[in-house]
Structures are given as C-alpha cells and as structure tokens.
Amino acid sequence: MKTIKRLAVLALVFVLVLPVFAGGSKEKATTEDGRPIITMWAPINPNITQVAQSFDQTAYWQELMERTGVQIEFEHASSSNDSVLTENFNILIASGDYPDIIQYKWIDYPGGPAAAIADGVIIPLNDVFEQYCPNITAFLESHPDIAKMISTDDGTYYCFPFLRGTSYENNNLLFSEGWVWRKDLLDKAGLDVPETPEELYEALVAFKEMGIQIPLSIRRDHISRVLAPGFDSFGDSIQSFYVVDGVVHNGYVEENRKEYLKFANKLYEEGLLDNDYLSVDKNKLAVNVLNGLCGAAYAPGGSGIGTWLPAMRQSDPSVELVSARPISPEKGRLSMFAKMSDIYSNTGSSSAITTSCKDIETVARFLDFSYSEEGILLDNFGIEGETYEMVDGYPKYTDKIVPTSDDGLTSEGYTISQALSMYTRTYATGGYIQDPRYLEQYYSLPELQEAINLWAQTDYGKYIYPPASTTAEEASELASIMNSINTYVDEMESRFITGISDIDAEWDGYVEQLKNFGIERAIEIKQEAYDRYMSK
C-alpha cells in the first residue's frame, strides 16, 4: 500500500498543534524525533484483520497519528467473541499494568464505571475535559442527554465515548437488520408487504400453498426481534427492560409476551416457521435464502441483502427482495419495539484514560481531536482528495472506498468493508462519533438504502432503557438474578414455541418461577438506577 501523503494544508496545523501535544510530564516516553508515545489497549474487529494485523498498519491510524503529532503503540484483543474479549480485559485489569488508554464497554465493567474509577483503573475526566478538551466539552454542552450517558450518578465523566450519531430521532445508524421479503412471491400471491401479525400469517400461508419449503426462516436468537413487536412485546435481545412514563418494566412477565409466544407456536405447528429454527445460524439462513427455500427472513443489511440480492439475480433476474418496517399490532402504527442499538451503551468500546498514564494532557488532547469537525471527517471518511471529495458540502467517497467494478471491488482491490477498515475508523470504535452519511454510502444498493429507512420506523427510542449505572452491590445482585432468569427464559420460550410445553397450562407457573428467581427485585434495581440517572 502506498504511503499516505501528508496534505500540504496540514503543514501549518502541525506547527500549531505539535507544541501542544509535546507538553506534559517529564516521565512521558517519546520517539527519536520527539513525538510523544501513547500506549493503547483496543479490541480489533475481524474486518480490520483482513487488511492489517494492527491499527498502526492502516492508513487511517497513520494519518491520525500524523495529524495529532503522536505515536501510538497498540496492544490488541480480538473482538470476534465477546467472552474472549471480556476474558482478555479481565486479565489486563488483574495485571495492574495498564496502558495510557483502554478501549472497552465501560458500562459493562463490574459495578459500572464508578467502580472502575474507585478500583483505580481509570481516572475521572471532568477536570481533564475542562482543561484540555475543548471539542468534547462543547459537544457535551450542546448534547446534555449524551452527557448523562457518559457520566456516573454523581456527574463524573469517565470516557471519550463511541457514539452512533447524536439522537434517537431519524437515526439510521441504530438499525442494522430487519425483515426481508421475496416481493416477487408476494406479487404472485397478490399481497402487499405485511404490516401486522394477521397479514404476516396470510402471506406465510400463501407461500406454503405455492410450494415454498420454509415460508419464514429465522435464527433462534432473532425470533423475538421478528415476531414480538407485533404484540407490543420487546424485540431487542440486548435487554428485556424498558421504560414507559418513567416506570421501568420487564417484558418477560407481561401478558403480551404470552400472546407473542402463542402466535410463534401457531406458525411453528403449521409449518410456516422454519421447524429447524433452533439450529439455524447465519450460514444456514443464507443457504435458505440463496436457494430460494424461504419467502421471508430476518437478516442484516450489508452481509444480507447486499450480498444475497446480486447473487440471486445472477441465476434468476426476476428475483426481488424488499424490506419492511417492524410489524405492529395495528396497521399504520409504528411498532413499540424493534431491534435497535443504543446511541452509546451497547454499541462498541469507548476510550478511557488509565491511572497509569503519565502524560494526561497529551493523551486527552489526542482523544479530543476526534470530536472536532476535522476529526469527525477523518474518522468517518478518511482523507479529503483521496478517499472522499466534498460535493456541495457532502463528503462523497471516491472509488478507493466505493466499488465501481462488476466484481464489487474498489480501485485498490478491496471490498467496501475492507476499504473502510483501511481508511476510516468505522470498525475500530473507540472514542468517536459516527456520521450517518457514511452509512448512506456504505449501503449503496437502492434496496439497502430502502431497508435501513424501513427498519428504523419504530417508536422504540421512546421506551429504550438508558445506560443507567448500578452500584457495585446492585450490579452483583442484578447479575445473579438475571443470569438465572435469562437461562430459564431461553429454555422455556423455546419449549412454548415448539409446543413441548403447553403455554396456556404452564404460563402462570412460569411467571411464578420468574418471580421466585427475583424478577421483581431486578425491576426495582433497574428503577432505582433509572431514577438516579434521570436526576443527574
């Protein structure tokens, strides 16, 4: 890969910025040419490892270091498996030997971010922001809702956050998967794209009658995302808690959850839902779709529609795939729930400064750069004149990012995911703000652009439980309760759907067992944490 040329316009910037970054403790490490050395522990996404074994081998990180006048030494952990990543993080914390920066989902730290500070792992950032970070300070002042998300109950900031946009309103960055329908089959049956459970049932029956082997193909871990919103039951597997008018609920014990499970069982018993759904994984789902075995599925965007549609049209140009918004109990009403990411808490790792850092000013100013206008453009679009051009104020990717050939590769032979990994921060997370204009171009197929708009049509943003922190004691109790509950729910909901257990006969006993496990106490804990969060 050719070396990224330094833009001439940066020459003056370096004269101004470098002295600022060079300040700090006499104990700081520097390169031979005097640049401060920053150490960073960070997860590395499999998309990135297709083009580089370390961040510093990518053009983006090379450019970021050049613009900020620092040298970063990375230590990576794989992010392909959450349990492995957590294990590696725990080993790092237990060692007591920390780098300057750790990228992690700090909301998941045992006892929450306040415990990470109390344990002497990371430092509070209020004074750091005020003294050295004008960009994130201005951003938080204009986004007080996000300021709540990244602070403890007493208002202590603890990280430079990774954010999927800045609002729940009209934010397509929060949605990455949803309904996919064979529109050519719907047209053959004379049906519109279903919006309600009743219309969904009618379409699946029509598919079965026309000889479709698997009318609806779903992965086990996706089934509630697909069907539950039609009954105003939560469809986001990330959490079962939600908020209505300030009151925290858990959907597991509510009557509409029973109605969803009865509907799923009906589809299963009538052969409308894939009877092998318990064993369907990503690869099996793709096989079902690509071989024309199913009429409807639940799938991601880029690796779903973006991959399937071109392949299917090669063998059958008449194939049409369309998406749909989440089903709702009433036609024309947005669903109360859907699969949706949070702006902050569950979306990726954020950057915190550790107690081992000897040059806090340099590290803070480096991290603050990504919240500047220049930093946001670099993080999301790369280098102007190379990977994007400004067209009427819109950063438009060049052929270094967007494939222009029939083989789906960029001018340098990358897929679009590989190109984004090489030239932007898209798959690296850490502390930065995603720009929705990146996604508009990543989803270049018209069908993908339509899909992301449809999947986002839900009211879940009004009910989503915020990233409220629990105390260490609360976190331990909550984890104990919810581990038992989640294991039991996973087993019993599968039994209800497949008919092994009679839901009408066993529902009351099932709910009673959830209460015995402590679900009411779990709701109390989440309510107390929510109330503290809202009072900040």
Side-chain angles (χ1 to χ4, degrees):
M1 184 64 56
K2 75 174 188 177
T3 301
I4 301 300
K5 299 187 296 293
R6 188 176 193 170
L7 299 178
V9 73
L10 294 177
L12 179 58
V13 175
F14 277 112
V15 171
L16 298 175
V17 173
L18 188 55
V20 175
F21 276 80
S25 168
K26 293 180 180 179
E27 299 179 63
K28 74 181 191 305
T30 60
T31 62
E32 290 183 358
D33 58 2
R35 287 178 297 145
I37 295 175
I38 295 173
T39 54
M40 179 188 294
W41 186 94
I44 188 165
N45 187 284
N47 284 291
I48 297 175
T49 57
Q50 293 180 32
V51 297
Q53 297 306 305
S54 175
F55 285 170
D56 56 9
Q57 296 173 2
T58 70
Y60 160 77
W61 284 96
Q62 292 169 10
E63 183 70 14
L64 177 63
M65 288 187 284
E66 191 171 345
R67 292 196 191 189
T68 53
V70 302
Q71 178 68 37
I72 307 176
E73 294 181 352
F74 294 100
E75 179 182 349
H76 290 304
S78 173
S79 66
S80 60
N81 184 298
D82 285 344
S83 61
V84 172
L85 177 60
T86 300
E87 180 182 356
N88 289 338
F89 174 78
N90 290 339
I91 291 172
L92 171 67
I93 298 306
S95 74
D97 184 15
Y98 312 137
D100 297 317
I101 300 168
I102 297 177
Q103 290 187 11
Y104 190 64
K105 293 182 183 179
W106 292 101
I107 199 75
D108 291 343
Y109 186 91
I117 295 174
D119 291 346
V121 177
I122 61 177
I123 65 171
L125 295 174
N126 296 58
D127 291 342
V128 174
F129 283 175
E130 183 178 351
Q131 295 179 51
Y132 309 127
C133 305
N135 296 308
I136 195 169
T137 297
F139 174 79
L140 294 175
E141 286 175 353
S142 61
H143 295 85
D145 53 333
I146 293 176
K148 278 187 178 182
M149 295 179 187
I150 66 162
S151 59
T152 62
D153 289 340
D154 64 2
T156 300
Y157 293 121
Y158 58 86
C159 74
F160 292 76
F162 167 64
L163 302 171
R164 291 194 187 277
T166 59
S167 170
Y168 288 111
E169 298 296 324
N170 302 314
N171 187 350
N172 291 349
L173 290 166
L174 304 180
F175 302 88
S176 59
E177 58 190 31
W179 280 100
V180 180
W181 288 88
R182 282 283 301 272
K183 186 175 185 300
D184 52 315
L185 298 182
L186 287 172
D187 290 344
K188 183 178 179 181
L191 298 173
D192 294 327
V193 176
E195 297 181 24
T196 65
E198 293 77 17
E199 293 179 350
L200 168 61
Y201 178 77
E202 181 184 12
L204 297 181
V205 169
F207 289 167
K208 184 177 181 180
E209 291 176 347
M210 68 174 64
I212 299 300
Q213 182 176 332
I214 307 171
L216 174 59
S217 187
I218 310 175
R219 288 166 47 179
R220 174 180 184 159
D221 56 337
H222 287 173
I223 190 166
S224 69
R225 302 178 187 179
V226 180
L227 301 177
F231 299 86
D232 280 344
S233 182
F234 70 95
D236 189 338
S237 65
I238 293 170
Q239 58 181 357
S240 55
F241 296 94
Y242 64 97
V243 184
V244 179
D245 296 329
V247 178
V248 176
H249 297 256
N250 185 286
Y252 285 147
V253 294
E254 297 175 342
E255 194 66 21
N256 52 10
R257 191 70 176 179
K258 177 182 178 181
E259 295 308 308
Y260 141 64
L261 292 168
K262 290 179 69 173
F263 180 71
N265 170 250
K266 178 181 179 180
L267 299 186
Y268 184 89
E269 294 289 350
E270 296 184 20
L272 305 177
L273 169 65
D274 190 344
N275 279 188
D276 291 329
Y277 87 92
L278 290 172
S279 62
V280 171
D281 57 13
K282 182 178 181 180
N283 293 333
K284 181 68 178 297
L285 179 65
V287 169
N288 290 343
V289 174
L290 291 171
N291 290 332
L293 301 180
C294 62
Y298 185 87
S303 60
I305 296 176
T307 301
W308 297 340
L309 186 57
M312 296 174 77
R313 282 182 171 168
Q314 285 184 1
S315 56
D316 185 356
S318 68
V319 168
E320 289 186 73
L321 294 183
V322 295
S323 300
R325 67 187 190 183
I327 60 172
S328 171
E330 300 172 24
K331 192 175 180 66
R333 171 165 78 81
L334 294 182
S335 69
M336 184 176 176
F337 297 101
K339 166 59 177 71
M340 175 180 171
S341 295
D342 206 338
I343 292 173
Y344 162 64
S345 64
N346 55 46
T347 55
S349 59
S350 294
S351 298
I353 300 177
T354 74
T355 53
S356 296
C357 180
K358 302 300 183 184
D359 191 358
I360 292 172
E361 178 179 352
T362 294
V363 172
R365 291 191 183 278
F366 162 75
L367 292 170
D368 186 58
F369 173 79
S370 283
Y371 300 88
S372 66
E373 182 177 356
E374 180 186 353
I376 290 171
L377 285 171
L378 174 63
D379 291 344
N380 288 275
F381 304 103
I383 304 167
E384 185 173 5
E386 291 196 32
T387 58
Y388 77 95
E389 301 282 358
M390 293 300 291
V391 180
D392 296 327
Y394 188 98
K396 186 175 178 59
Y397 287 132
T398 67
D399 61 6
K400 276 194 172 184
I401 303 292
V402 178
T404 56
S405 59
D406 293 338
D407 60 7
L409 300 179
T410 69
S411 60
E412 296 186 331
Y414 291 135
T415 66
I416 188 169
S417 295
Q418 291 170 339
L420 288 170
S421 298
M422 173 57 72
Y423 288 108
T424 76
R425 196 168 184 161
T426 299
Y427 296 106
T429 65
Y432 88 105
I433 304 170
Q434 278 194 327
D435 188 314
R437 294 174 294 182
Y438 117 80
L439 191 66
E440 292 168 1
Q441 298 174 79
Y442 177 38
Y443 285 169
S444 56
L445 282 177
E447 290 83 359
L448 275 176
Q449 293 175 351
E450 179 186 42
I452 203 68
N453 288 324
L454 288 168
W455 297 341
Q457 293 184 29
T458 173
D459 280 335
Y460 189 24
K462 299 176 182 178
Y463 309 107
I464 194 168
Y465 187 88
S469 300
T470 52
T471 66
E473 294 76 14
E474 288 173 338
S476 177
E477 184 181 4
L478 185 64
S480 177
I481 293 171
M482 292 310 298
N483 286 340
S484 298
I485 286 175
N486 289 331
T487 299
Y488 181 63
V489 165
D490 183 60
E491 176 189 354
M492 288 303 298
E493 289 201 344
S494 297
R495 291 176 66 90
F496 289 144
I497 291 171
T498 58
I500 295 174
S501 295
D502 185 320
I503 191 168
D504 286 321
E506 300 187 34
W507 179 257
D508 290 344
Y510 167 71
V511 171
E512 188 62 30
Q513 182 60 54
L514 290 177
K515 291 179 179 179
N516 291 338
F517 279 135
I519 196 166
E520 292 171 323
R521 173 57 183 154
I523 294 172
E524 287 180 2
I525 293 172
K526 297 291 277 190
Q527 182 73 60
E528 292 166 4
Y530 174 81
D531 292 341
R532 293 194 300 268
Y533 177 88
M534 295 303 294
S535 67
K536 285 194 287 186

